[in-house]
Amino acid sequence: MTTVPRSALITGASAGIGAAFARHLAARGYQLLLVARRADRLHELAAQLTEQHKVRCEVFAADLTAPASPAAILRYADEQGLNIDVLINNAGLSGKTAFADTPWDTLAGEIQLMVTAQTEVVHRVIPGMKERRWGRIVNLSSVAAFAPPAASLLYTGIKSYVLNTSQALDMELKPHGIHVTALCPGFTHTEFHDVMGTRDKANHLPGILWQQPEAVVAEGWKAVQKGKPVCVPGLVNKISAAAMKPLPNRLAYLAGKTLNPFKNS
């Protein structure tokens, strides 16, 4: 009897942490569905991974700021016969201007991308994972989720939402064989700062604060496999997160689980 390889859906897969996750999972034999806006980047990466690791690698170009994208992505996966066993919710961005000076369409796109779309994709993959009694979900949060609110930016609040909802989902889904992890990296060597126009400021930060995306991915994947609901990769980030958050992650998770209003339903 031939065993079908497990499949992973990765959003924001064209560069940075998303591309690093694609390489990491391809090396472990996972079939991939790569999603991002830049189709040329996706096709180039897919060709590399297929050649290097002999894995199936599908590409779907989509802009997750468009409300119809999550349904379209999962519909395509179904048409290709891909059961999504692993979800890497990586697509993201950060605002570049003050809240009041930013057009509403831009702010709405930021919320759609990192709150609504991310949550909807999770919701759409859960039924299949529950049916198969196995699933792994990594939601990209940030060490910023532990920080005090930052003036003008939605980013800190959005990443706090991702952190908190990931832990809540892990509590609900772990009995079904599904692990959910909020991956909370700090400064990572990706294109993020180039896209956001903050490269000059980023270049003045000490080297000790930075991580390579491969290191972030390795620690994040290890965490979700072990069933850890929160992963803060790197010693410096761990110290920073612990200093900013009143309760250690594990105690906060256990407190929330104890207070779960649905646990007896």
Side-chain angles (χ1 to χ4, degrees):
M1 182 177 178
T2 303
T3 302
V4 177
R6 286 186 168 131
S7 301
L9 165 59
I10 305 172
T11 68
S14 60
I17 291 173
F21 258 115
R23 296 186 184 98
H24 191 86
L25 294 174
R28 285 151 182 79
Y30 283 83
Q31 301 182 128
L32 301 178
L33 173 53
L34 306 180
V35 175
R37 291 178 300 170
R38 297 177 288 187
D40 56 339
R41 288 276 195 100
L42 293 177
H43 283 292
E44 182 180 350
L45 178 59
Q48 292 173 358
L49 297 178
T50 299
E51 181 179 356
Q52 292 171 3
H53 303 292
K54 312 303 178 189
V55 294
R56 180 183 178 188
C57 201
E58 298 288 341
V59 164
F60 190 85
D63 183 351
L64 282 162
T65 64
S69 288
I73 292 166
L74 273 299
R75 185 164 56 248
Y76 179 79
D78 187 58
E79 290 168 355
Q80 300 304 311
L82 293 173
N83 294 321
I84 303 304
D85 303 296
V86 174
L87 170 61
I88 308 297
N89 248 329
N90 170 71
L93 52 79
S94 178
K96 296 184 269 189
T97 56
F99 180 88
D101 298 331
T102 305
W104 172 247
D105 287 350
T106 301
L107 295 172
E110 190 175 344
I111 295 167
Q112 173 66 34
L113 173 65
M114 294 192 292
V115 177
T116 307
Q118 185 180 93
T119 308
E120 182 179 350
V121 173
V122 171
H123 190 266
R124 288 181 178 276
V125 302
I126 284 173
M129 291 181 177
K130 288 178 73 172
E131 183 179 338
R132 295 185 294 277
R133 302 291 300 178
W134 197 93
R136 301 290 183 265
I137 299 171
V138 177
N139 292 323
L140 260 292
S141 181
S142 168
V143 73
F146 302 97
S152 297
L153 296 179
L154 296 177
Y155 190 79
T156 303
I158 286 172
K159 292 304 184 181
S160 296
Y161 167 85
V162 175
L163 172 64
N164 292 332
T165 54
S166 295
Q167 293 178 89
L169 287 168
D170 186 71
M171 294 175 196
E172 177 183 340
L173 299 174
K174 191 161 280 174
H176 302 279
I178 304 168
H179 299 173
V180 183
T181 295
L183 178 55
C184 306
F187 293 107
T188 309
H189 287 294
T190 68
E191 296 178 357
F192 181 85
H193 293 284
D194 299 308
V195 174
M196 294 301 106
T198 55
R199 174 56 61 193
D200 289 342
K201 292 182 179 178
N203 286 342
H204 287 87
L205 295 170
I208 193 173
L209 297 178
W210 292 88
Q211 282 189 291
Q212 294 297 332
E214 292 77 13
V216 172
V217 166
E219 201 165 338
W221 183 246
K222 183 178 179 180
V224 75
Q225 287 286 68
K226 288 189 171 183
K228 294 182 178 180
V230 179
C231 174
V232 181
L235 180 60
V236 172
N237 293 326
K238 286 179 172 64
I239 293 171
S240 298
M244 291 186 288
K245 194 168 179 66
L247 277 177
N249 294 331
R250 183 62 181 161
L251 288 179
Y253 179 88
L254 290 173
K257 192 172 183 180
T258 300
L259 296 172
N260 175 14
F262 301 107
K263 63 184 178 182
N264 295 319
S265 61

